[in-house]
Amino acid sequence: MSILTYNGGVVIAMKGKECVAIAADRRLGVQGQLICTNFNRIFEMGPNLYLGLPGLATDTATVAQRLKFRLNLYELRENRRIRPKTFSAVVSNLLYERRFGPYFVEPVIAGLDPKTNEPYICNMDLIGCPNEPEDFVVCGTCVEQAYGMCESLWEPNLEPDDLFETISQALVNAFDRDALSGWGGIVYIIEKDKVTVKELKTRMD
Amino acid sequence: MEDIVNARCHGLDIGFHLSNNLLNDGPDWLSAEHSTGTSIMAVEFDGGVVIGADSRTTTGAYIANRVTDKLTRITDHIYCCRSGSAADTQAIADIVAYQLSFYEMELEEPPSVKTAASVFREFCYSYRDSLTAGIICAGWDKRDGGQVYCIPLGGMLVRQPFTIGGSGSTYVYGFVDANYKPDFDKEACVNFVSNTLALAMSRDGSSGGVIRLGIITKDGIERRVIKGKEVPRFFEG
């Protein structure tokens, strides 16, 4: 079993009309065994900027903490909120610093630009290669299933309520076909003036 | 280290479309063996047995079948619960059913559960180095009523009042030891099996789906399926 599948987990992010959504499962496991059903892998990095970190759970926690540290220093020096695209570069740099002994996480970034409110999503491999598409990004143990679900369900310019439905269905039906993810879901819908968090009731097997 | 990094880097994947490469570096479920990493159990009661199983078959971490039937007919009154390699257990069950149908023709009476279990054991012990099969053989016959026999990995055979098996069983040994009573009737057995399997399915990644039950008595088998909201739920963190 690969080190990236040891704890399990999946994160999806999607772009909508003037909004973005990021969603993840809640399982923390040790290979086949479930440990808890309330594990957090999405972290708030700004009022409209969220970071998902699927992969090895210890690195999820460490990378989130180290990134928050760098982000705080940035905001103190620049005296403004960071833009999602810039944050993406910070994450990439942090991961590439460990090129030959990497953190075993594959980040997913979702946010709105603080000035223009333009939606932004990004995902990376474990050494920081960024990928910034126009539609959706997925990372985790059921990427193949998630890509299939997103490719068929996503369409451009979804309103926040429709985006919520779409990302929830994509997430749940993807992780229901994976033995290492699931056991609950959480979805963040990020709009220019508010962020809505919803917990999904899912099958717990 | 290099293998993990190479396999997961976007940048290095350009042009690699060879199927051999996919079998080596692609998702593990393209090359992994089908396994019924599983939760199965069987319980005796006065008049028959209750057998139960989850319904998940995995190839690696991918759920290949979420509605599998792991309760396989050997004769009308003898069934087996399969865990381990899906291919191995299907092949063994087919061979045992075939041999017992011959036995029934020659002896002109239905085979006993003990005989069926012994045939399983012969096979599982003789080919123990090549097989991955954990089997529970249970049923009813006229001589001894309801019986449960477990045949784990090496090919041992032992009769027990109830037994649990599969990867999910490890999480529920405490529960079954604390909750089993020897004087369960049919419905009490059904509840015991449902609750046990629900707990195992909740904790084990390789078990899940629906709960398939079989109640075997002198009248044959009564099959039940517990799915969706009817599956018992316990503490979920």
Side-chain angles (χ1 to χ4, degrees):
Chain A
M1 189 178 262
S2 146
I3 189 67
L4 279 163
T5 60
Y6 184 76
N7 293 124
V10 61
V11 177
I12 299 180
M14 285 185 176
K15 273 197 198 178
K17 193 177 169 84
E18 292 161 13
C19 61
V20 285
I22 183 167
D25 71 321
R26 303 297 305 250
R27 178 182 186 266
L28 173 71
V30 167
Q31 299 193 316
Q33 180 183 10
L34 170 74
I35 301 294
C36 81
T37 56
N38 58 357
F39 185 68
N40 213 16
R41 24 182 84 85
I42 297 181
F43 301 92
E44 183 185 335
M45 293 282 154
N48 284 342
L49 179 57
Y50 282 77
L51 169 72
L53 290 167
L56 192 63
T58 179
D59 286 346
T60 298
T62 302
V63 169
Q65 288 165 10
R66 294 208 166 160
L67 224 28
K68 190 75 184 150
F69 175 79
R70 293 195 185 192
L71 182 58
N72 287 344
L73 277 178
Y74 179 97
E75 290 185 350
L76 283 169
R77 289 192 193 113
E78 303 263 330
N79 201 25
R80 62 183 174 91
R81 295 258 172 254
I82 196 171
R83 296 176 64 204
K85 216 164 145 68
T86 316
F87 180 65
S88 191
V90 174
V91 178
S92 173
N93 175 258
L94 185 142
L95 294 177
Y96 200 81
E97 275 178 357
R98 293 277 169 266
R99 170 63 176 85
F100 298 108
Y103 289 115
F104 296 106
V105 289
E106 296 179 316
V108 172
I109 296 162
L112 300 174
D113 188 294
K115 275 224 166 108
T116 64
N117 285 317
E118 206 194 313
Y120 175 85
I121 52 171
C122 171
N123 80 336
M124 291 174 201
D125 63 1
L126 78 175
I127 49 173
C129 172
N131 169 41
E132 298 162 329
E134 293 304 313
D135 41 18
F136 50 81
V137 289
V138 307
C139 275
T141 52
C142 57
V143 277
E144 288 87 10
Q145 293 91 317
Y147 274 126
M149 285 309 309
C150 290
E151 199 66 59
S152 29
L153 294 183
W154 187 86
E155 47 186 73
N157 292 320
L158 285 166
E159 295 292 332
D161 289 336
D162 298 328
L163 187 64
F164 167 72
E165 282 303 324
T166 306
I167 200 174
S168 305
Q169 287 299 324
L171 180 74
V172 170
N173 290 297
F175 70 49
D176 276 349
R177 274 283 181 175
D178 181 22
L180 301 175
S181 335
W183 280 265
I186 190 160
V187 184
Y188 293 76
I189 313 290
I190 303 151
E191 300 169 66
K192 96 170 168 229
D193 48 358
K194 66 175 172 157
V195 175
T196 328
V197 186
K198 293 199 181 146
E199 298 214 9
L200 303 175
K201 195 155 175 290
T202 70
R203 45 185 316 133
M204 305 292 265
D205 63 2
Chain B
M1 181 62 65
E2 280 301 305
D3 308 316
I4 302 165
V5 174
N6 284 339
R8 299 301 291 226
C9 290
H10 302 312
L12 294 176
D13 262 25
I14 302 162
F16 278 20
H17 299 303
L18 304 171
S19 62
N20 203 38
N21 203 60
L22 270 177
L23 285 176
N24 293 332
D25 302 331
D28 70 346
W29 45 262
L30 279 181
S31 51
E33 195 189 313
H34 270 54
S35 136
T36 45
T38 269
S39 307
I40 48 175
M41 78 186 277
V43 187
E44 289 176 12
F45 66 93
D46 183 18
V49 293
V50 174
I51 57 175
D54 74 305
S55 69
R56 180 171 289 185
T57 310
T58 49
T59 30
Y62 177 67
I63 300 169
N65 188 350
R66 61 191 177 107
V67 288
T68 325
D69 184 7
K70 303 179 190 179
L71 308 176
T72 306
R73 179 188 175 279
I74 305 296
T75 71
D76 283 342
H77 291 87
I78 305 172
Y79 274 67
C80 72
C81 309
R82 303 183 287 112
S83 73
S85 156
D88 287 350
T89 54
Q90 282 174 14
I92 297 169
D94 285 348
I95 292 171
V96 171
Y98 168 79
Q99 290 188 347
L100 283 177
S101 74
F102 248 108
Y103 177 102
E104 180 163 3
M105 279 185 243
E106 286 185 36
L107 294 221
E108 288 178 358
E109 66 170 19
S112 62
V113 189
K114 193 167 184 174
T115 308
S118 294
V119 178
F120 266 114
R121 184 268 309 273
E122 263 318 291
F123 210 83
C124 292
Y125 180 72
S126 304
Y127 297 98
R128 57 185 291 171
D129 295 332
S130 321
L131 294 172
T132 311
I135 289 174
I136 301 176
C137 181
W140 179 92
D141 63 34
K142 214 160 67 165
R143 204 180 141 96
D144 289 312
Q147 295 145 76
V148 167
Y149 293 88
C150 93
I151 304 128
L153 242 45
M156 166 181 100
L157 171 66
V158 68
R159 181 182 173 184
Q160 292 178 295
F162 75 92
T163 188
I164 56 179
S167 58
S169 67
T170 54
Y171 305 107
V172 290
Y173 273 101
F175 178 80
V176 295
D177 288 342
N179 290 83
Y180 174 73
K181 304 264 180 314
D183 57 356
F184 277 157
D185 67 0
K186 182 175 94 164
E187 284 308 317
C189 277
V190 167
N191 285 336
F192 178 54
V193 172
S194 314
N195 287 335
T196 309
L197 290 179
L199 284 165
M201 281 158 57
S202 178
R203 278 284 172 176
D204 180 26
S206 320
S207 306
V210 305
I211 301 177
R212 292 202 189 275
L213 295 168
I215 306 156
I216 308 171
T217 58
K218 65 175 170 29
D219 303 317
I221 190 167
E222 176 201 335
R223 275 189 176 270
R224 294 191 198 171
V225 179
I226 302 177
K227 56 190 195 302
K229 289 203 173 56
E230 301 152 8
V231 175
R233 285 177 79 154
F234 298 88
F235 173 71
E236 271 156 9

